[in-house]
Amino acid sequence: GRVASEEGKQKDWGNIRDWPAHFRYNCADTTNTLIAMHGQRADLTARGLGGLYDNYITRLFDPVYEMGTIGFPLNRAQQTSLIAEYEARSAKLVASLTQEINPRSPKAKAKLLKDKGYVLPVKRATGKESTDELSLKKLRLKYPDDGDLRALLEISGIEKALSSYLRVRTLGDNRIRFMLDAHGTETGRMSCSSDPWGGGFNAQTMNDYTKRMITWLPEDDRVFVEID
């Protein structure tokens, strides 16, 4: 159903010329999921795991869905303060670099490091030089006293904190939501990600700075659910 508008933008359901083909595509998308479910059920039964799934895993779905739907109450004032703090730290580190560059630009970072005479690590997957976080760590092992490498790595961590957690998107009620999967891994561990609309974040990987912008309930007001 996705087509390009006259302005070159992608949009759904905007100009469907072949409705039967469109419906066939969506019906196949739904029925194939159902077929996969039956296949998984048969596999669980064959492995003797049907009872475990029905009596334990499925009981987790409702509380897990509830946790993701309710989310965490975001403290906007604390969020604003944290963002300002981290942006100031980033700006100070950028100013300390021996060249004035945009640290978010791979080309700019590559130029800075090549001007020092460094040979950049090459990514196996692409065969191209890289200045990503892993490549910077490799270079720092070779040049542990280089202040630019230390600063670039710190800036990378700050930018990740800002983009993945601190600048979190919420609805108007200021609650951080996420998607929890009760059985998201092969080992049975839960997995977590942002919500379907790109808001929230992975609640399983919250750092201490993230927890500072959440309004936690007093202990007496917490709700504890006992599972048999």
Side-chain angles (χ1 to χ4, degrees):
R2 175 163 288 187
V3 295
S5 67
E6 293 180 359
E7 295 79 17
K9 298 179 180 179
Q10 294 294 326
K11 60 179 182 176
D12 290 325
W13 302 85
N15 187 20
I16 298 171
R17 296 180 176 84
D18 190 340
W19 279 97
H22 180 74
F23 285 128
R24 281 195 298 272
Y25 173 87
N26 283 280
C27 287
D29 197 26
T30 303
T31 54
N32 287 345
T33 304
L34 180 63
I35 292 169
M37 182 273 290
H38 284 299
Q40 290 171 332
R41 291 284 314 178
D43 188 49
L44 282 171
T45 302
R47 296 181 184 214
L49 298 173
L52 173 66
Y53 183 82
D54 291 335
N55 299 318
Y56 173 64
I57 300 298
T58 57
R59 294 181 63 193
L60 297 175
F61 291 163
D62 285 346
V64 161
Y65 173 79
E66 182 179 355
M67 283 191 286
T69 303
I70 293 175
F72 301 124
L74 173 64
N75 185 321
R76 285 288 185 188
Q78 187 66 11
Q79 179 194 31
T80 300
S81 175
L82 281 168
I83 290 174
E85 175 188 332
Y86 273 68
E87 287 178 340
R89 285 172 54 188
S90 180
K92 185 176 180 180
L93 287 165
V94 171
S96 73
L97 296 172
T98 55
Q99 285 186 22
E100 185 177 342
I101 67 166
N102 176 4
R104 288 174 289 280
S105 167
K107 290 183 178 180
K109 288 190 290 185
K111 181 180 182 305
L112 184 153
L113 296 172
K114 285 183 176 181
D115 286 348
K116 291 172 174 282
Y118 296 165
V119 177
L120 301 183
V122 175
K123 302 287 284 189
R124 289 184 180 180
T126 63
K128 297 181 180 180
E129 295 176 331
S130 171
T131 58
D132 64 8
E133 185 176 7
L134 179 59
S135 298
L136 292 175
K137 287 179 178 179
K138 289 179 179 178
L139 283 173
R140 198 174 182 204
L141 288 174
K142 292 184 178 181
Y143 311 102
D145 298 325
D146 189 297
D148 284 340
L149 288 171
R150 177 192 58 78
L152 287 173
L153 279 168
E154 285 192 43
I155 292 168
S156 177
I158 291 172
E159 289 301 319
K160 183 176 181 180
L162 286 167
S163 61
S164 299
Y165 296 100
L166 298 181
R167 295 187 182 126
V168 61
R169 290 175 51 212
T170 68
L171 298 176
D173 59 1
N174 292 331
R175 299 194 73 87
I176 302 169
R177 293 180 172 83
F178 42 85
M179 288 201 306
L180 270 176
D181 187 334
H183 197 270
T185 67
E186 291 185 6
T187 58
R189 179 179 61 80
M190 291 185 187
S191 64
C192 187
S193 63
S194 57
D195 69 30
W197 298 274
F201 48 57
N202 181 349
Q204 289 183 318
T205 59
M206 280 195 299
N207 294 296
D208 288 339
Y209 59 79
T210 308
K211 296 175 184 178
R212 287 166 54 192
M213 66 180 189
I214 294 173
T215 302
W216 301 100
L217 293 173
E219 189 167 343
D220 291 343
D221 294 333
R222 295 177 187 174
V223 177
F224 296 89
V225 178
E226 184 175 336
I227 299 178
D228 296 335

